[in-house]
């Protein structure tokens, strides 16, 4: 019997690569995939990750050797955002399909490069927009598509990162625009993609503000990293890496090879991304959006509301907060003209991102009908990044930015 499993190479062995696309993928989809290569510029980190994944796949330190020696069918990209394009293009040109972690990349030129390589190769790029697959997101999409509130006119969307999750972006490589494109790109790519998908139209114009209010040079003191820091006993953001065996194994000893530490000081003076962000977005179908992202809140989760000609849909999704939360999400479908309110309960699902991770992997590896258009390709990846790039540019210039004036995405 011929083995029909997709032979895949994992590129990048940080947290996401090691868990979501390594250990978890093999545990749940072993009948569909075979891990044939692990690639990371840090060989010790790759070795630690391989042990955690439970694999005996060979380890490589560059993409070219990985591709030439193992000839995978599929490449999964989990590296820094800024070098996604090099890996994606190399994989496509080697005849591989690609799954890339979000954001797809970090600039217009890199978007165009990926899109052109995808067209030349005839292969496919999937972008890991797992939030689309969460059951509550799916229900919201169904309601909007069915016209439950008439014609959609505006959206209020506000995302809250708490002082654990939010701070983590300022400890890592994400803290520099050169690496991540800022959180307008790295984190908000999830949110902008959801908006593009919900609204079912292209964003056209963005006006945004972004400020560094809490981290970086705005902090009360300076350090290099938490380990050995003189401020450790009283810093609110002190991270004891030794208390997390997973993170310590992946990052502490491997840092001797490349200097990358996982507990870098959140108050480093050279941090250049904003931590407090807002944006107004106008879409091709005249829907307007009010968006915000805050990174040092006492709560984690988001609030979204859709306003239409015949009503309003509201959701407050809780992730972490200092009170008990229900075991389900509650969507409020509020009808105009005295139509009352329908409370729609959506049970929480097991797995990461409210079950979105598992559903996305099922869609990619098991197939099936995609009636809601949840599977996201390179154009969806491109449009969410373009929205973030427009927001970053607007926040820096104080001017509205038309997305189509940023450049051709191919």
């Amino acid at each position: 019997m011929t083995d029909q499993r997709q032979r895949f190479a994992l590129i990048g062995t940080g947290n996401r690569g090691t868990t979501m696309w390594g250990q978890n993928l093999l545990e749940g989809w072993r009948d569909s995939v075979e891990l044939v290569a692990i690639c990371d510029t840090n060989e010790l980190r790759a070795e630690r990750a391989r042990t955690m994944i439970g694999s005996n796949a060979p380890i490589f330190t560059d993409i070219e050797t990985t591709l030439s020696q193992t000839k995978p069918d599929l490449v999964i990209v989990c590296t820094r955002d800024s070098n996604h394009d090099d890996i994606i293009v190399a994989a496509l040109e080697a005849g591989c399909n690609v799954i890339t972690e979000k954001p797809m990349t970090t600039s217009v030129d890199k978007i165009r490069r990926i899109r052109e390589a995808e067209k030349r190769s005839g292969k496919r790029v999937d972008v890991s927009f797992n939030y689309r697959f969460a059951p509550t997101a799916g229900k919201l999409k169904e309601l909007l598509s069915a016209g439950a509130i008439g014609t959609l006119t505006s959206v209020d969307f506000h995302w809250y990162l708490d002082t654990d999750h939010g701070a983590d972006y300022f400890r890592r490589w994400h803290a520099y625009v050169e690496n991540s494109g800022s959180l307008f790109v790295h984190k908000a790519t999830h949110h902008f993609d959801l908006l593009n998908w919900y609204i079912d139209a292209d964003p056209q114009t963005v006006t945004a503000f972004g400020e560094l209010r809490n981290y970086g040079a705005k902090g009360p003191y300076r350090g290099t990293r938490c380990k050995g820091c003189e401020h450790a006993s009283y810093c609110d953001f002190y991270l004891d890496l030794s208390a997390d065996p997973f993170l310590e194994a992946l990052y502490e000893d491997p840092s001797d090879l490349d200097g990358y530490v996982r507990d870098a000081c959140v108050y480093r003076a050279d941090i250049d991304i904003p931590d407090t962000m807002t944006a107004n977005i106008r879409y091709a179908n005249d829907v307007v959006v009010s968006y915000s992202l805050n990174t040092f809140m006492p709560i984690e989760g988001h609030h979204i509301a859709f306003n239409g000609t015949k009503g309003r849909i509201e959701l407050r999704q809780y992730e972490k907060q200092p009170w008990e939360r229900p075991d389900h999400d509650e969507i409020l479908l509020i009808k105009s003209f005295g139509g009352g309110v329908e409370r729609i309960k959506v049970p929480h699902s097991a797995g990461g991102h409210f079950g979105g991770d598992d559903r996305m992997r099922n869609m990619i590896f098991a197939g099936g009908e995609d009636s809601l258009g949840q599977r996201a390709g390179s154009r969806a990846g491109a449009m969410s990044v373009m929205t973030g790039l427009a927001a970053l540019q607007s926040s820096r210039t104080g001017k509205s930015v038309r997305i189509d004036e940023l450049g051709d995405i191919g």
Side-chain angles (χ1 to χ4, degrees):
M1 183 177 176
T2 303
D3 190 345
Q4 296 297 316
R5 293 180 297 173
Q6 291 190 66
R7 302 172 69 257
F8 81 97
L10 176 65
I11 317 298
T13 55
N15 189 340
R16 191 73 173 162
T18 301
T19 57
M20 167 75 176
W21 296 113
Q23 184 182 48
N24 298 341
L25 180 57
L26 291 185
E27 285 176 352
W29 290 266
R30 194 176 294 273
D31 291 343
S32 300
V33 296
E34 177 189 2
L35 178 57
V36 298
I38 297 172
C39 179
D40 197 298
T41 54
N42 189 309
E43 192 167 7
L44 180 54
R45 183 174 301 120
E47 290 173 359
R48 297 278 175 86
R50 178 170 64 179
T51 298
M52 294 173 182
I53 292 168
S55 170
N56 60 2
I59 289 173
F60 301 91
T61 56
D62 67 273
I63 184 63
E64 291 79 12
T65 308
T66 303
L67 295 170
S68 64
Q69 292 196 13
T70 64
K71 295 180 170 53
D73 307 308
L74 171 69
V75 168
I76 301 180
V77 182
C78 302
T79 61
R80 290 186 183 185
D81 305 338
S82 55
N83 64 18
H84 282 186
D85 64 309
D86 287 337
I87 298 164
I88 293 169
V89 171
L92 291 169
E93 292 181 342
C96 306
N97 291 315
V98 174
I99 299 171
T100 181
E101 267 300 322
K102 59 79 192 167
M104 187 173 75
T105 188
T106 56
S107 76
V108 178
D109 289 344
K110 292 177 179 184
I111 290 171
R112 184 166 54 248
R113 186 177 177 223
I114 290 169
R115 298 265 292 159
E116 289 174 351
E118 185 180 33
K119 290 175 184 176
R120 285 196 310 272
S121 68
K123 295 298 178 178
R124 178 182 177 118
V125 176
D126 275 286
V127 183
S128 181
F129 284 136
N130 41 15
Y131 277 119
R132 289 189 181 198
F133 291 84
T136 300
K139 186 62 180 178
L140 289 172
K141 179 67 172 177
E142 288 177 4
L143 291 169
L144 293 167
S145 298
I149 55 171
T151 300
L152 181 64
T153 57
S154 67
V155 184
D156 310 313
F157 192 14
H158 307 291
W159 203 283
Y160 319 108
L161 296 172
D162 70 8
T163 50
D164 290 328
H165 188 185
D168 238 11
Y169 292 111
F170 296 84
R171 295 187 179 104
R172 300 180 286 166
W173 53 263
H174 311 71
Y176 305 102
V177 171
E178 179 183 6
N179 295 333
S180 66
S182 82
L183 295 184
F184 269 131
V185 174
H186 176 83
K187 182 61 181 176
T189 192
H190 264 320
H191 314 150
F192 295 147
D193 175 69
L194 279 175
L195 286 166
N196 297 346
W197 179 59
Y198 287 142
I199 295 170
D200 195 23
D202 286 344
Q204 285 190 330
T205 307
V206 181
T207 305
F209 296 94
E211 301 290 342
L212 186 63
R213 299 296 306 274
N214 188 62
Y215 301 110
K218 294 298 177 71
Y221 30 77
R222 302 283 170 266
T224 302
R225 60 176 303 193
C226 290
K227 184 177 181 180
C229 180
E230 63 180 311
H231 307 292
S233 63
Y234 48 84
C235 177
D236 289 331
F237 291 101
Y238 171 69
L239 174 67
D240 181 4
L241 205 61
S242 66
D244 189 327
F246 174 80
L247 291 181
E248 185 178 44
L250 269 187
Y251 294 102
E252 185 54 34
D253 292 339
S255 71
D256 292 338
L257 299 183
D258 59 14
Y260 176 64
V261 296
R262 183 59 177 74
D263 61 345
C265 178
V266 299
Y267 296 137
R268 301 187 308 287
D270 60 345
I271 287 174
D272 65 353
I273 64 171
D275 57 23
T276 303
M277 291 147 278
T278 66
N280 290 323
I281 309 166
R282 185 180 183 89
Y283 278 77
N285 60 357
D286 295 329
V287 172
V288 291
V289 170
S290 174
Y291 169 81
S292 69
L293 174 61
N294 290 279
T295 63
F296 46 92
M297 297 295 98
I299 57 174
E300 179 97 2
H302 75 274
H303 175 264
I304 192 165
F306 302 90
N307 305 302
T309 55
K310 295 183 179 180
R312 174 177 166 95
I313 297 170
E314 290 186 15
L315 168 71
R316 172 68 171 94
Q317 189 169 62
Y318 298 96
E319 295 188 46
K320 287 166 60 180
Q321 62 287 316
W323 61 83
E324 283 195 25
R325 66 177 186 181
D327 61 356
H328 61 272
D329 292 330
E330 185 176 70
I331 298 170
L332 301 183
L333 173 57
I334 310 162
K335 296 297 184 70
S336 298
F337 311 111
V341 58
E342 179 183 353
R343 297 178 179 271
I344 303 169
K345 293 184 178 181
V346 183
H348 291 162
S349 294
H353 296 89
F354 297 95
D357 286 355
D358 286 353
R359 285 169 170 78
M360 181 177 67
R361 284 179 294 216
N362 275 335
M363 178 71 72
I364 293 173
F365 296 110
E369 184 182 0
D370 187 11
S371 59
L372 295 177
Q374 289 168 300
R375 190 170 177 180
S378 67
R379 191 178 189 283
M383 292 311 299
S384 68
V385 171
M386 293 291 279
T387 311
L389 293 173
L392 180 63
Q393 181 173 312
S394 176
S395 72
R396 288 174 161 179
T397 64
K399 298 178 180 179
S400 295
V401 175
R402 282 189 58 88
I403 289 176
D404 60 7
E405 293 177 352
L406 293 177
D408 179 23
I409 63 170

